[in-house]
Amino acid sequence: SSSSSPSSSSSMVAARRRTKIIDAGSTAGNLAIPLAACLLDSMEEEEEEEEGSFDFDKIELLAINTNEFALQQLFEWAGTMSIVGKHMRTLAADLADVDSILGHIPSENDVVVVSLHACGAASDYAINLAHARDAPFVVCPCCTAKSLTKREDSSTPDNIQSNNASFQRSGATKEITYPRSKWLNGVLNSNDAELEYAILAKVADVGLGPQTPSQQRGHQRRAKHIVELDRLAYSSSREYRYETGLVRVRRHDPIVYGKGEMLLGAKGGSVAAGVFGDLLLE
């Protein structure tokens, strides 16, 4: 409350659990580094105001990618910013291997999952990772048609390196099926739901042709909207019971690049769900 004393605020900080922010499909840090810097700025502002409500030492960013070269670039970049680098870790892992990833995260840690333009099914892996820890997620997907590619078995000797290939990183494992939700499965033709979803996913990427640029963008936006609502409906199902929302990146130019949708999700009744709800009202 507004009457809380500085000492009581400090006690709340001390009791706060450590938080792991997972950047799923991090590439070379295009999201993780700016996010870490923003958190650092927030900490400094809180210290100046003597609020004592933000403890950066209890926050760590974990950047996950299958590409070890990209992770090395991220690590070197973060290392040039000593304070940011101190709170940054990298993990070379397949986003589809949820159990392996969670094995690197202490069970007592709070988790937040973020992802920027993880292609195809990689965005679904990011959401599944959040589900596994009842964690909130903020995911900005892209390249929806890439999710239609089925992964090859990377466990055989001939395919041992294939997870570094784009089609493998973004392709769907047998556990990931489309449409994702019962809602969209019910809307589409039950006999051809998979085929009709494939058309939606392709239109969301490239539109329909031949057509004018404005017509193409219109078709893309509508199809992309449906694809992302399908993902959110899956998270909102009885199995997961997430509160969800769909927004667009502010000041995002759809003429330059049309994939600016952001998916917000948090366990129903959680603090994060309240925060997301406030954002959706703005």
Side-chain angles (χ1 to χ4, degrees):
S1 68
S2 59
S3 61
S4 297
S5 65
S7 60
S8 64
S9 296
S10 298
S11 297
M12 291 173 62
V13 172
R16 185 173 296 166
R17 303 201 305 176
R18 291 188 177 277
T19 299
K20 190 86 68 176
I21 301 176
I22 299 175
D23 181 2
S26 61
T27 64
N30 294 337
L31 175 60
I33 297 289
L35 181 57
C38 286
L39 289 170
L40 178 59
D41 287 344
S42 296
M43 180 195 70
E44 291 174 344
E45 290 175 5
E46 294 283 359
E47 287 181 346
E48 289 174 3
E49 296 173 4
E50 298 182 352
E51 293 287 341
S53 61
F54 194 93
D55 188 355
F56 195 56
D57 284 333
K58 290 194 173 182
I59 294 177
E60 182 178 83
L61 280 94
L62 179 64
I64 302 177
N65 203 323
T66 59
N67 190 324
E68 295 188 23
F69 177 72
L71 289 177
Q72 181 61 32
Q73 286 184 310
L74 184 156
F75 194 74
E76 292 173 358
W77 184 16
T80 64
M81 297 168 278
S82 58
I83 298 179
V84 171
K86 174 184 174 184
H87 298 276
M88 182 81 64
R89 299 290 182 270
T90 61
L91 175 63
D94 180 2
L95 287 180
D97 193 351
V98 172
D99 290 339
S100 175
I101 292 171
L102 293 183
H104 292 267
I105 302 172
S107 59
E108 65 272 15
N109 283 185
D110 288 329
V111 172
V112 178
V113 177
V114 297
S115 184
L116 176 63
H117 293 164
C119 290
S123 288
D124 295 298
Y125 300 140
I127 293 172
N128 282 355
L129 186 59
H131 290 165
R133 286 292 295 264
D134 288 341
F137 62 79
V138 180
V139 174
C140 184
C142 77
C143 302
T144 53
K146 286 187 177 181
S147 63
L148 304 176
T149 301
K150 298 299 181 182
R151 279 197 181 189
E152 295 177 1
D153 182 4
S154 60
S155 63
T156 62
D158 290 342
N159 290 325
I160 194 74
Q161 300 295 326
S162 60
N163 274 353
N164 278 328
S166 177
F167 78 94
Q168 280 287 88
R169 295 196 306 271
S170 57
T173 61
K174 62 182 179 181
E175 291 79 17
I176 299 287
T177 59
Y178 300 97
R180 300 294 289 142
S181 68
K182 291 182 179 180
W183 161 71
L184 190 56
N185 267 296
V187 171
L188 300 178
N189 187 317
S190 59
N191 295 323
D192 297 305
E194 190 172 344
L195 174 61
E196 292 184 355
Y197 179 88
I199 294 171
L200 272 173
K202 291 175 182 178
V203 172
D205 265 354
V206 298
L208 291 168
Q211 54 191 189
T212 66
S214 60
Q215 289 174 328
Q216 180 183 20
R217 288 193 297 273
H219 283 125
Q220 282 180 285
R221 283 195 297 272
R222 287 192 289 273
K224 184 74 161 49
H225 196 78
I226 294 171
V227 167
E228 305 311 352
L229 286 176
D230 176 49
R231 283 175 161 140
L232 292 178
Y234 176 74
S235 289
S236 301
S237 66
R238 289 183 178 180
E239 182 176 359
Y240 300 110
R241 299 184 183 277
Y242 269 57
E243 295 180 20
T244 62
L246 181 63
V247 299
R248 280 191 63 83
V249 178
R250 288 181 178 177
R251 295 182 293 276
H252 185 278
D253 188 348
I255 295 178
V256 176
Y257 188 69
K259 300 176 178 66
E261 290 80 11
M262 284 203 303
L263 283 61
L264 310 179
K267 201 71 174 179
S270 66
V271 172
V275 172
F276 288 163
D278 290 342
L279 286 174
L280 293 171
L281 291 175
E282 290 184 0

